Amino acid sequence: MRRLFPVTDRTAPAAAPAPQVRPEGRSEAPVNLVDREWTLDELAEAYAYPALLTTPDAPATSDAPHRWLRANMVSTLDGAAQHDGRSQAISSDADMRIFGTLRGLADVVIAGAETVRLEGYRPARARDAFAARRAADGQAPAPAIAVVSASLNLDFSLPLFTSPLVPTLVLTGAAASPDRVRDAEKAGARVIVAGDGPGVEPDRAVTALADLGLVRQLTEGGPRLLGQFAAAGVLDELCLTVAPLLTVGSAQRITGGPVLPDPERFALAAVLEEAGFLFTRYRRI
């Protein structure tokens, strides 16, 4: 048994968006079919982080994880995570609404340096739609951006570093160039060492962020970074948009890196749909 949440709700406008059960693959349409778009608040409820997340002042227990790392990625039907080097071409308006919702719920957005360069990352902005929710949860007005980079080959003159609402974080290894570390700090970024060598160790990265109180963690890739998180066993949830598109070619998948010795199993938590795009959520078993 699995649950289907349509992004375009087909219940009457006054009704709450209830999940529709699909027993053995058969969908059951509700009555009173009236199309309407979900509000951002309804999406925020659907994508809420686990309620039992702890803080550094309240140690984790078996029932309360110290942090929760979710990934948000998009893929075509034939497995392409991008087209012509960027993900925007395989996205949609509904996908961007969910993208914004996931950012609106997160304490920190983690991205690899290559993704930051290719996608033209800018500072996350505060949004009125999530202000009350964030304030109630003790969050900053907007999530911090955390850039993972071994070389620190980044343009520290960009607004991402010089004028963010919340200071940008840079995760790197102990062997990083001291000059580049100084450049990052001079631009206003906070540098976090999360590895003994040149690169970042995934488990140390997510732990270091959680120790700063950034427990609601979101990664937007790229594929190599997501592959590292998955291989290290620190990825708790995957939010995957499946676009009804074929690109052919040899575009990268949503993860990159060495093959895992054994595939890791995830359980389907929810599905949303609009215009043929499927918005899935899977949680690690």
Side-chain angles (χ1 to χ4, degrees), residues 213-230:
L214 306 175
V215 297
R216 302 171 186 86
Q217 300 173 357
L218 169 67
T219 180
E220 297 168 352
R224 184 170 62 177
L225 180 63
L226 181 54
Q228 292 171 352
F229 282 139

Side-chain angles (χ1 to χ4, degrees), residues 120-255:
Y121 265 52
R122 298 183 62 83
R125 59 189 178 92
R127 299 182 62 185
D128 291 342
F130 302 102
R133 184 182 296 269
R134 294 185 69 87
D137 289 337
Q139 295 176 283
I145 303 293
V147 184
V148 177
S149 176
S151 68
L152 298 185
N153 181 23
L154 298 161
D155 185 351
F156 294 117
S157 69
L158 294 176
L160 176 62
F161 301 101
T162 61
S163 58
L165 184 62
V166 179
T168 294
L169 308 172
V170 176
L171 296 163
T172 192
S177 164
D179 290 340
R180 296 302 290 165
V181 170
R182 282 192 292 271
D183 290 342
E185 293 175 336
K186 185 178 179 180
R190 178 171 183 175
V191 178
I192 300 172
V193 175
D196 293 330
V200 170
E201 298 168 23
D203 56 340
R204 288 182 59 176
V206 296
T207 298
L209 293 172
D211 288 343
L212 295 175
L214 306 175
V215 297
R216 302 171 186 86
Q217 300 173 357
L218 169 67
T219 180
E220 297 168 352
R224 184 170 62 177
L225 180 63
L226 181 54
Q228 292 171 352
F229 282 139
V234 298
L235 181 67
D236 299 295
E237 181 178 323
L238 173 62
C239 298
L240 176 64
T241 296
V242 180
L245 304 170
L246 295 174
T247 62
V248 195
S250 56
Q252 199 166 14
R253 296 159 48 190
I254 66 167
T255 58

